[in-house]
Amino acid sequence: MTRIIVTGFRMHFKMMSRSGLELLATIAWPLVYATIAYYLYKRGHSPDALLSVSLGATVMGIWTMITISAGNAIARQRRLGVLEIVVAAPTPFVLVLAPVTLAAAATGVYSFASTILWGRLLFGIPIRIASPLLFAVALPAAILAIGMLGLLLASVLVLYRGARALADALEYPVWLVCGLLIPLSTLPKETRPISWALAPTWGVDAIRAGALGGDTLRYVGMCCLVSVVYVCLAVAFLVRFERLARRSATLSLT
Amino acid sequence: MTTLRDDTAHFVRVFFVGGYYSFRALFEWLSPWLYVPTLMVTPLFQILFFVYLGRSAHVGTDAFYVVGNALVAMCIATFFGIGFALDGERESQTLATIVGSPANRVALFSGRALPVAVNGIFVAACSFALSSLLLNVAVPPAAVGPLLVTVLVAAASTAGLGFVIGSFGLRYRSLGIVANLFLALMLVFTGANVPRAQLPQWMQVVGDGLPLTRTIEAARALVAGASLSHVADLLLVELALGIGYAIAGFGLLGWFERQARRAAVLDIF
């Protein structure tokens, strides 16, 4: 199992690192939103607030990659005509999907590097990490949690022909409701339970706490907890949907 | 020997019939399962995202972001729609046949742009109406007609830039990258989300050269109560810019077509 995940992760990470469109999504798009936010926030806000914006933009990049990979993970296999073969293989399907979304989330390190450097070079935002050790724990925890949310999303989209479009449509709502650039306090209170259920909320809190100071381990713990929940749900969904698709012979959806 | 009447009939047929069939066959989001998430849900949440970002930064009113982003939403339809029409021809292996045909190029490509531009107007209008209702953004009744004129001008100018973007589809595979880059420029440089006065001078100059900069300014003025005559100059300059982009786009289409024929790369994937 470990070999499948590690090999799959390495392969997909390398492939995503060579894809122009995916590099654009993970490097350039977060810079666009970070730039807009810098110009909006730069008056009357401290350097820490601007660094917080950079970190939020990093998680935005991670989530964008997740929407692309979760929507594409199955659609691509379906289009290439290999989905049936992959599902019929003795390897559990969840082990084929998990490395895809994990690798997509891991490309968030590119988002992190680009937004931090962009902020430093163009806007003079100092790079101060309050606790490098805790930050080094928080970033992988956030990547894991968001990657597992991607796995859950991909598992729900198995039977949906327009998976890519639906996944793309989740980009802005998650950015909005998880407080990546916008404080959660400015959103209606009714959205709070949705925020708590979504990994980017805990991921960005963990990263910000690691970089700016705060209860990092608590947020890292929440990242681990939601990751476990997502994996359990994804496995349950995949088993159910796979059985449905096998019975009605509709995996190809053609 | 063809007469002028025959030529006109051919032009009209290629423009309307060709454009119609291309839209029906190749517009990627024609199914409601794709159309609604891509062209209704995404623009609406984009507007909400920037409205809340503006509120938390204490910059601009809700109307500021509703107007700016409703017009930028049009670009998703025009930039990607025109581009993917050409990309779709390649994917369905018909691009070489189309380029090899004697059909008038202006009719061929502008016919493909017309339904996409009309769709862009619909997307902008829906995004504006839905978000205005949700956020209680008041629009003076007298501004509705002038706003429609503004949206028409914006559709024409973004379609002009759409031709430039689409032309890359004749020669290069990664059309999505080009369209995404231009969309990013629109979000930052046109003043859709950051008041232009807060942008550095060089960014304002870049914004001056992009479509939407003036229509966004005009639409904001109309929502604030200005009359059409007050914003007529802005709209005329925008229209001229759109025509300029369309001419540049047709020039690039011809150039890339010659390049693609010479290198025999029309069918590359």
Side-chain angles (χ1 to χ4, degrees):
Chain A
M1 187 175 101
T2 311
R3 191 172 58 86
I4 295 169
I5 291 179
V6 170
T7 309
F9 175 84
R10 281 177 56 188
M11 187 187 76
H12 289 293
F13 186 82
K14 280 185 193 170
M15 281 167 59
M16 287 171 191
S17 300
R18 289 184 59 90
S19 157
L21 196 63
E22 279 157 317
L23 286 178
L24 184 79
T26 191
I27 295 174
W29 270 109
L31 298 184
V32 170
Y33 294 102
T35 303
I36 292 171
Y38 291 146
Y39 280 117
L40 291 180
Y41 278 114
K42 73 177 180 182
R43 280 191 194 158
H45 286 85
S46 64
D48 275 358
L50 296 178
L51 181 60
S52 174
V53 164
S54 296
L55 298 171
T58 296
V59 179
M60 288 170 79
I62 298 176
W63 180 247
T64 297
M65 282 302 292
I66 287 297
T67 59
I68 293 173
S69 66
N72 261 348
I74 290 167
R76 190 180 289 158
Q77 292 174 21
R78 183 173 281 138
R79 197 171 59 239
L80 296 172
V82 296
L83 184 59
E84 293 89 337
I85 299 166
V86 172
V87 169
T91 305
F93 191 45
V94 69
L95 295 183
V96 178
L97 273 187
V100 180
T101 57
L102 259 182
T107 57
V109 294
Y110 298 140
S111 300
F112 173 68
S114 66
T115 50
I116 293 292
L117 283 175
W118 186 259
R120 180 78 194 102
L121 296 175
L122 267 81
F123 297 91
I125 300 166
I127 305 171
R128 277 199 305 261
I129 304 291
S131 167
L133 185 65
L134 287 175
F135 185 81
V137 175
L139 188 60
I143 285 172
L144 174 73
I146 300 171
M148 291 304 99
L149 179 57
L151 175 66
L152 175 60
L153 185 61
S155 70
V156 173
L157 297 175
V158 168
L159 293 179
Y160 185 61
R161 204 191 299 260
R164 175 70 200 272
L166 187 68
D168 281 350
L170 291 174
E171 196 175 42
Y172 274 106
V174 170
W175 289 349
L176 178 67
V177 87
C178 291
L180 303 186
L181 289 188
I182 301 155
L184 289 179
S185 55
T186 58
L187 298 174
K189 278 189 180 140
E190 295 75 26
T191 60
R192 220 52 61 80
I194 305 171
S195 313
W196 293 332
L198 295 171
T201 307
W202 303 110
V204 77
D205 282 347
I207 292 173
R208 279 178 178 149
L212 304 168
D215 195 353
T216 313
L217 291 178
R218 179 175 155 241
Y219 298 122
V220 168
M222 284 306 298
C223 286
C224 296
L225 179 68
V226 292
S227 299
V228 172
V229 175
Y230 294 149
V231 171
C232 293
L233 287 172
V235 170
F237 279 132
L238 277 176
V239 168
R240 170 96 180 122
F241 290 150
E242 195 184 312
R243 200 177 298 146
L244 271 175
R246 277 170 183 261
R247 195 162 53 212
S248 54
T250 53
L251 261 178
S252 63
L253 289 181
T254 50
Chain B
M1 192 175 155
T2 59
T3 63
L4 181 63
R5 197 173 155 192
D6 289 337
D7 286 344
T8 309
H10 287 314
F11 186 97
V12 170
R13 187 175 54 79
V14 171
F15 181 84
F16 284 107
V17 180
Y20 171 72
Y21 280 120
S22 168
F23 188 71
R24 285 279 307 271
L26 297 173
F27 191 66
E28 295 228 336
W29 307 301
L30 211 51
S31 147
W33 293 99
L34 301 177
Y35 192 96
V36 172
T38 309
L39 294 175
M40 295 281 123
V41 175
T42 299
L44 183 62
F45 274 95
Q46 178 183 328
I47 290 169
L48 290 175
F49 176 81
F50 283 109
V51 163
Y52 277 100
L53 186 61
R55 283 183 187 179
S56 62
H58 307 292
V59 176
T61 60
D62 289 359
F64 178 88
Y65 297 99
V66 167
V67 170
N69 287 287
L71 286 171
V72 170
M74 182 186 289
C75 298
I76 302 174
T78 49
F79 290 2
F80 290 87
I82 295 175
F84 286 159
L86 284 174
D87 221 31
E89 302 283 8
R90 170 179 291 127
E91 196 143 320
S92 53
Q93 305 273 307
T94 48
L95 186 59
T97 311
I98 283 182
V99 170
S101 77
N104 182 294
R105 294 297 185 261
V106 175
L108 192 69
F109 294 119
S110 54
R112 277 155 172 74
L114 180 67
V116 168
V118 171
N119 180 58
I121 293 167
F122 179 71
V123 169
C126 285
S127 307
F128 183 80
L130 283 172
S131 54
S132 297
L133 279 173
L134 268 174
L135 299 162
N136 290 321
V137 171
V139 179
V144 174
L147 273 175
L148 194 62
V149 174
T150 307
V151 171
L152 283 170
V153 172
S157 65
T158 55
L161 182 53
F163 280 124
V164 174
I165 294 168
S167 67
F168 287 88
L170 277 180
R171 184 66 179 84
Y172 301 105
R173 271 176 295 185
S174 304
L175 192 72
I177 294 179
V178 181
N180 266 296
L181 284 173
F182 276 98
L183 190 60
L185 289 179
M186 307 308 276
L187 281 173
V188 181
F189 290 85
T190 59
N193 293 301
V194 183
R196 274 166 50 82
Q198 282 182 228
L199 293 173
Q201 187 65 33
W202 71 268
M203 288 178 85
Q204 293 185 34
V205 171
V206 174
D208 285 339
L210 289 171
L212 287 192
T213 302
R214 277 150 294 268
T215 37
I216 288 173
E217 190 183 336
R220 281 180 183 144
L222 291 170
V223 170
S227 66
L228 186 60
S229 58
H230 275 95
V231 298
D233 288 350
L234 289 170
L235 298 184
L236 285 173
V237 175
E238 178 91 0
L239 202 57
L241 188 71
I243 292 168
Y245 271 117
I247 291 169
F250 281 117
L252 279 172
L253 278 165
W255 188 60
F256 282 130
E257 183 186 324
R258 284 191 296 277
Q259 288 238 322
R261 279 169 181 261
R262 196 163 46 220
V265 290
L266 275 170
D267 284 330
I268 54 166
F269 284 98

